[in-house]
DNA sequence: CATAAAACTAAAATCGGTTTCACACAGATA
DNA sequence: TATCTGTGTGAAACCGATTTTAGTTTTATG
């Protein structure tokens, strides 16, 4: 591998001049510039990024910290972010926090020791206080409420999405709609719960039916039994995320309860798996890929504009109607409700 | 951030001595060692990995190159690799080749420019010739035949797995078993095809029914129509991978053909989604997570033992029997076959 | 006891870039 | 003509570690 000094020697100039050409910065005569570029091309020289990093305190690398890349939400996010990173000349570091016990903050240390230029956080496992200390590390936080200064937050309008989901269930004739809400330390779960509550409150004849869930497939499946025992006449389930909705679907299937005929099911997230279930799952789609892409783009912007300040971006969700909420005659309800929406 | 010279000054020694302590290498008196360690601890000093990298030509980073992290096979692989990397003090770079046009080799350039210590290749999009040129980059190649010197190859016994799958279909009474084979530039697809052929050949009363597929869900779905037109009496489908099997399942479902009653379906890979379909999908499970983990471990071993030479690891698959191949009375077959598996 | 070997240490060189600084020279301005 | 400004350049310092070199002090050996 040739170095900048090799190039300099071969072009009959100093390393400083080559560096100026490389970075397109400072005065260089057109004549020397051309000569140097030719030599660079001929030698196939490429600057060593580590040396450059040491000098500039930069690594042209950004990191994405997720809970668990095997959670189907994250690969799409990661892909969007990786692609945007790559297109802007950045490498893409991935970290999973799940199952790392208390070592998660090691990821944060990396930021300093390896001059990682910025980080996208999509995990609740990273201590928010430690995050706050990283004042001058550009940061983008996904799907989380936070009060971190100098960070960009990207999320969807979960409240609105949840209202849309609930209204949709109402619109296909459901009148006993349960919501399986996610862990309440997660602000998205909270917002979705609030959205559900709002619609129930504002629609006559409905009342809240709530069970807690843990955002996993098994968790979703487990709530079903409870739910049916307490409320045998429910006709719709709005799960706080797709994974739970998938669990619900599986369980209902095992119990020979027909979806959507007996109970309609709606999820939230728009993960790819919702197209694979039988019946296919209606869901509130988040622009996951776009969120990843946007996160990387915003992060890079912040890297180039330090101390840009706080920013919050809220994207729209989209109701994706599929088989699991197909409109069917709901004979029981017909008697007691006359509401035609 | 404090530097090694800060530590040195504070401990009343030279930077060289601190470095010796840091790397546990060379002579250092017990007395000074303790003093230095105390200072390091008190100052919260951590060595700058970029500076270290420049000096040692190392980055304590390894890369995983996959086709597409949103392909459900890869997240589990990535997680296994990331975890093993992390536990050994390595950071984990991810690259997707799909949709990168001809820029894939840029990933390879990174290896040099950023002193990436080693790379795990799980993509056919990287030019094998370029890979071969990277003679002194430790490499682990997954799921691919290759003749790269000084690389470790990890794969499962696809031939055996395919035989197991085919035999399993035979054992539940299938007698017209089709195989949807994957793209033949992919050696795993080839081996699976061979395994299928071997069983067909060795079992009396069976004959080959083959259709090409592209390893995607849609691709799998599309072959079904063809298959049924040409061979309306098939009673079993062995798809070359799970994604195609899922597509097949969807299509059969749309056509109101019952699985497993009318046609049994078996996949290959063991991706998580196979547990979510309805019916759940029988598959040949690969130890995906373990493969990722092993890949990282082997890679790190190679980083520490340069020029270790070629190595091939073949792991076993496991038949995971699920609903899609439940044994049922196959009335048609009963007449024409008396074979009890 | 002389001397070789081992233990220990610091100064300086190095890794491969960037950046500062000093300086030279041209043309513009007064 | 003297001075200022803008252009162009290279030597040297720097980023923060490791490693080599050379030298000193101990310890072991014959």
């Amino acid at each position: 591998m040739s170095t900048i000094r090799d190039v300099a020697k071969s072009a009959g100039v100093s390393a400083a001049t080559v560096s100026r050409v490389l970075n397109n910065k400072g005065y260089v005569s057109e004549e020397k510039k051309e000569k140097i570029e030719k030599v660079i091309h001929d030698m196939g020289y490429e600057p060593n990024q580590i040396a450059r990093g040491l000098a500039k305190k930069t690594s042209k690398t950004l990191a994405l910290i997720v809970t668990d890349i095997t959670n189907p939400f994250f690969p799409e996010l990661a892909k969007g972010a990786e692609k945007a990173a790559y297109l802007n000349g950045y490498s893409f570091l991935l970290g999973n926090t799940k199952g790392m016990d208390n070592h998660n903050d090691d990821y944060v240390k990396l930021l300093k020791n390896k001059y990682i230029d910025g980080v996208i956080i999509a995990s609740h496992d990273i201590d928010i206080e430690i995050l706050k200390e990283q004042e001058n590390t550009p940061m983008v936080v996904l799907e989380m409420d936070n009060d971190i200064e100098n960070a960009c937050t990207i999320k969807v309008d979960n409240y609105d999405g949840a209202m849309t989901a609930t209204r949709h269930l109402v619109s296909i004739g459901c009148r006993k709609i349960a919501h399986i809400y996610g862990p309440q330390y997660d602000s998205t779960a909270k917002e979705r719960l609030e959205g559900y509550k709002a619609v129930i409150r504002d629609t006559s004849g409905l009342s809240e039916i709530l069970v807690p869930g843990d955002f996993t497939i098994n968790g979703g499946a487990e709530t079903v039994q409870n739910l049916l025992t307490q409320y045998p006449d429910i006709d719709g389930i709005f799960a706080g995320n797709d994974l739970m909705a998938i669990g619900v679907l599986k369980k209902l299937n095992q119990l020979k309860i027909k979806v959507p005929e007996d109970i309609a099911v709606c999820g939230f997230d728009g993960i790819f798996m919702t197209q694979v279930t039988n019946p296919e799952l209606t869901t509130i789609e988040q622009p996951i890929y776009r969120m990843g892409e946007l996160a990387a783009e915003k992060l890079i912007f912040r890297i180039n504009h330090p101390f840009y300040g706080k920013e919050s971006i809220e994207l729209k969700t989209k109701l994706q109607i599929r088989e699991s909420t197909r409109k069917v005659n709901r004979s029981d309800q017909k008697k007691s409700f006359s509401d035609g929406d």
Side-chain angles (χ1 to χ4, degrees), chain A:
Chain A
M1 287 268 83
S2 46
T3 72
I4 198 171
R5 282 173 236 268
D6 296 336
V7 173
K9 189 177 294 179
S10 171
V13 299
S14 74
T17 306
V18 178
S19 177
R20 278 182 215 112
V21 172
L22 247 27
N23 295 285
N24 201 22
K25 186 179 182 178
Y27 297 114
V28 180
S29 68
E30 194 58 33
E31 179 200 6
K32 297 210 168 171
K33 184 176 176 187
E34 277 168 20
K35 171 72 177 162
I36 290 170
E37 279 168 347
K38 181 173 183 332
V39 170
I40 287 177
H41 179 265
D42 291 351
M43 298 181 73
Y45 166 78
E46 291 185 43
N48 179 316
Q49 297 294 335
I50 296 285
R52 183 176 270 188
L54 181 59
K56 301 223 269 199
K57 297 186 187 305
T58 227
S59 65
K60 279 281 180 181
T61 301
L62 64 240
L64 170 67
I65 310 293
V66 300
T67 335
D68 180 358
I69 190 70
T70 63
N71 177 326
F73 184 83
F74 292 119
E76 208 170 330
L77 191 81
K79 194 181 180 194
E82 194 268 336
K83 188 139 188 185
Y86 175 85
L87 290 176
N88 287 281
Y90 284 79
S91 307
F92 182 76
L93 223 56
L94 179 72
N96 299 289
T97 57
K98 191 176 168 191
M100 293 300 189
D101 304 326
N102 296 320
H103 294 281
N104 290 322
D105 304 334
D106 292 3
Y107 283 123
V108 178
K109 280 187 192 162
L110 266 188
L111 303 180
K112 284 184 176 160
N113 298 338
K114 286 197 174 169
Y115 289 149
I116 303 299
D117 299 320
V119 60
I120 303 170
I121 305 281
S123 164
H124 288 275
D125 298 336
I126 299 282
D127 186 344
I128 196 104
E129 292 307 319
I130 291 183
L131 242 37
K132 278 188 199 166
E133 289 167 17
Q134 318 304 313
E135 286 178 338
N136 29 27
T137 304
M139 246 184 275
V140 173
V141 179
L142 285 170
E143 294 273 281
M144 266 164 79
D145 265 353
N146 74 83
D147 52 347
I148 303 172
E149 289 308 313
N150 204 34
C152 173
T153 306
I154 300 178
K155 59 192 279 295
V156 295
D157 191 340
N158 290 285
Y159 181 80
D160 179 73
M163 291 206 298
T164 303
T166 314
R167 285 206 196 98
H168 171 61
L169 288 170
V170 173
S171 82
I172 61 162
C174 299
R175 288 299 174 274
K176 306 266 183 180
I177 303 169
H179 177 50
I180 311 175
Y181 58 91
Q184 295 294 296
Y185 60 76
D186 183 332
S187 59
T188 65
K190 249 187 193 159
E191 290 172 26
R192 292 173 196 178
L193 173 56
E194 289 310 317
Y196 162 83
K197 282 182 177 173
V199 173
I200 298 296
R201 193 188 321 119
D202 297 349
T203 313
S204 63
L206 300 186
S207 57
E208 284 180 10
I209 304 178
L210 289 171
V211 270
D214 65 356
F215 271 176
T216 71
I217 294 186
N218 286 338
E222 283 163 18
T223 57
V224 171
Q225 200 69 63
N226 271 334
L227 208 47
L228 290 177
T229 312
Q230 287 182 63
Y231 310 96
D233 58 346
I234 53 172
D235 54 12
I237 297 179
F238 167 38
N241 74 349
D242 284 339
L243 289 178
M244 294 199 295
I246 288 168
V248 165
L249 225 49
K250 282 192 71 158
K251 190 61 168 193
L252 291 177
N253 192 47
Q254 279 168 25
L255 298 173
K256 310 276 181 221
I257 296 174
K258 283 191 185 128
V259 177
E261 290 81 354
D262 301 330
I263 299 181
V265 179
C266 179
F268 199 117
D269 276 351
I271 64 176
F272 181 71
M273 266 191 202
T274 53
Q275 298 175 51
V276 161
T277 54
N278 182 9
E280 291 183 19
L281 193 61
T282 295
T283 186
I284 302 294
E285 236 177 46
Q286 303 194 47
I288 306 180
Y289 182 92
R290 177 64 191 141
M291 287 168 78
E293 197 179 44
L294 193 62
E297 286 165 0
K298 285 287 172 187
L299 188 59
I300 291 165
F301 177 83
R302 277 170 176 272
I303 290 167
N304 297 324
H305 301 78
F307 311 112
Y308 183 72
K310 214 168 165 171
E311 183 180 11
S312 288
I313 297 176
E314 196 165 68
L315 301 173
K316 284 283 161 210
T317 55
K318 183 166 167 292
L319 171 63
Q320 186 63 255
I321 302 177
R322 302 214 184 85
E323 184 66 13
S324 73
T325 59
R326 184 167 37 84
K327 193 162 186 170
V328 292
N329 271 354
R330 293 176 193 281
S331 43
D332 322 36
Q333 280 80 13
K334 268 192 173 169
K335 308 174 224 160
S336 33
F337 291 93
S338 54
D339 160 28
D341 49 305

